[in-house]
Coordinates of all heavy atoms in Angstrom, one line a residue:
V32 N 145.0 52.7 136.4 CA 144.2 51.5 136.4 C 143.1 51.5 137.5 O 142.2 50.7 137.5 CB 145.0 50.2 136.6 CG1 145.9 50.0 135.4 CG2 145.8 50.2 137.9
N106 N 142.1 52.8 133.2 CA 143.0 52.1 132.3 C 143.1 50.6 132.6 O 142.9 50.2 133.8 CB 144.5 52.7 132.5 CG 144.5 54.2 132.1 OD1 143.6 54.7 131.4 ND2 145.5 54.9 132.6
A107 N 143.4 49.8 131.6 CA 143.5 48.4 131.7 C 144.9 48.1 132.2 O 145.9 48.8 132.0 CB 143.3 47.7 130.4
I108 N 145.0 47.0 133.1 CA 146.3 46.6 133.5 C 147.1 46.0 132.3 O 146.6 45.2 131.5 CB 146.2 45.5 134.6 CG1 145.5 46.0 135.8 CG2 147.6 44.9 135.0 CD1 145.3 45.0 136.9
L109 N 148.3 46.5 132.0 CA 149.0 46.1 130.9 C 149.5 44.7 131.0 O 149.8 44.2 132.1 CB 150.2 47.1 130.6 CG 149.8 48.5 130.4 CD1 151.0 49.4 130.2 CD2 148.9 48.6 129.1
I110 N 149.6 44.0 129.8 CA 150.1 42.7 129.8 C 151.7 42.8 129.6 O 152.1 43.5 128.8 CB 149.5 41.9 128.6 CG1 148.0 41.9 128.8 CG2 150.1 40.5 128.5 CD1 147.3 41.2 127.6
P111 N 152.4 42.0 130.4 CA 153.9 42.1 130.2 C 154.3 41.8 128.8 O 153.7 40.9 128.1 CB 154.4 41.0 131.2 CG 153.3 40.9 132.2 CD 152.0 41.2 131.5
T112 N 155.4 42.4 128.3 CA 155.8 42.2 126.9 C 157.3 41.7 127.0 O 157.9 41.7 128.0 CB 155.8 43.5 126.1 OG1 156.6 44.5 126.8 CG2 154.4 44.0 126.0
A130 N 159.5 45.4 131.9 CA 158.7 46.0 133.0 C 157.3 46.5 132.5 O 157.2 47.0 131.4 CB 159.5 47.1 133.7
T131 N 156.3 46.4 133.3 CA 155.0 46.8 133.0 C 154.6 48.0 133.9 O 154.7 47.9 135.1 CB 154.0 45.6 133.3 OG1 154.4 44.5 132.5 CG2 152.5 46.0 132.8
A132 N 154.1 49.0 133.2 CA 153.7 50.2 134.0 C 152.7 49.9 135.1 O 151.6 49.3 134.8 CB 153.1 51.3 133.0
G133 N 152.9 50.4 136.3 CA 151.9 50.2 137.4 C 152.1 48.9 138.1 O 151.4 48.7 139.1
A134 N 152.9 48.0 137.6 CA 153.0 46.7 138.3 C 154.0 46.8 139.5 O 155.0 47.4 139.4 CB 153.5 45.7 137.3
Y137 N 154.9 40.4 139.9 CA 154.6 39.6 138.8 C 154.4 38.2 139.2 O 155.1 37.7 140.1 CB 155.8 39.6 137.7 CG 156.0 41.0 137.2 CD1 157.0 41.8 137.8 CD2 155.3 41.5 136.1 CE1 157.3 43.1 137.3 CE2 155.6 42.8 135.6 CZ 156.6 43.6 136.2 OH 156.8 44.8 135.7
V175 N 153.2 34.9 132.3 CA 153.5 35.9 133.3 C 152.3 36.9 133.3 O 151.9 37.4 132.3 CB 154.8 36.6 133.1 CG1 155.0 37.7 134.2 CG2 155.9 35.6 133.1
A176 N 151.9 37.3 134.5 CA 150.8 38.3 134.7 C 151.3 39.4 135.6 O 152.1 39.1 136.6 CB 149.6 37.7 135.3
A177 N 150.9 40.7 135.4 CA 151.3 41.8 136.3 C 150.3 42.0 137.3 O 149.1 41.8 137.1 CB 151.5 43.1 135.4
Y178 N 150.7 42.5 138.5 CA 149.8 42.8 139.7 C 150.1 44.2 140.1 O 151.3 44.6 140.3 CB 150.1 41.8 140.8 CG 149.3 42.1 142.1 CD1 148.0 41.9 142.1 CD2 150.0 42.5 143.2 CE1 147.3 42.2 143.3 CE2 149.3 42.7 144.4 CZ 147.9 42.6 144.4 OH 147.3 42.8 145.6
I183 N 145.1 41.4 139.3 CA 146.1 40.7 138.5 C 145.6 40.9 137.0 O 144.5 40.6 136.7 CB 146.2 39.2 138.9 CG1 146.7 39.1 140.3 CG2 147.1 38.5 138.0 CD1 146.7 37.7 140.8
G184 N 146.5 41.3 136.2 CA 146.2 41.5 134.8 C 146.2 40.2 134.0 O 146.4 39.1 134.5
L185 N 145.9 40.3 132.7 CA 145.9 39.1 131.8 C 147.3 38.6 131.7 O 148.3 39.3 131.8 CB 145.4 39.5 130.4 CG 143.9 40.0 130.4 CD1 143.6 40.4 129.0 CD2 143.0 38.9 130.9
M186 N 147.4 37.3 131.4 CA 148.7 36.6 131.3 C 149.3 36.8 129.9 O 148.6 36.7 128.9 CB 148.6 35.1 131.7 CG 148.3 34.8 133.1 SD 148.4 33.1 133.6 CE 146.9 32.5 132.8
A187 N 150.6 37.0 129.9 CA 151.4 37.0 128.6 C 151.9 35.6 128.4 O 152.3 34.9 129.3 CB 152.5 38.0 128.7

Side-chain angles (χ1 to χ4, degrees):
V32 296
N106 299 339
I108 299 178
L109 297 179
I110 301 175
T112 59
T131 302
Y137 299 94
V175 178
Y178 175 67
I183 300 176
L185 298 176
M186 290 189 287

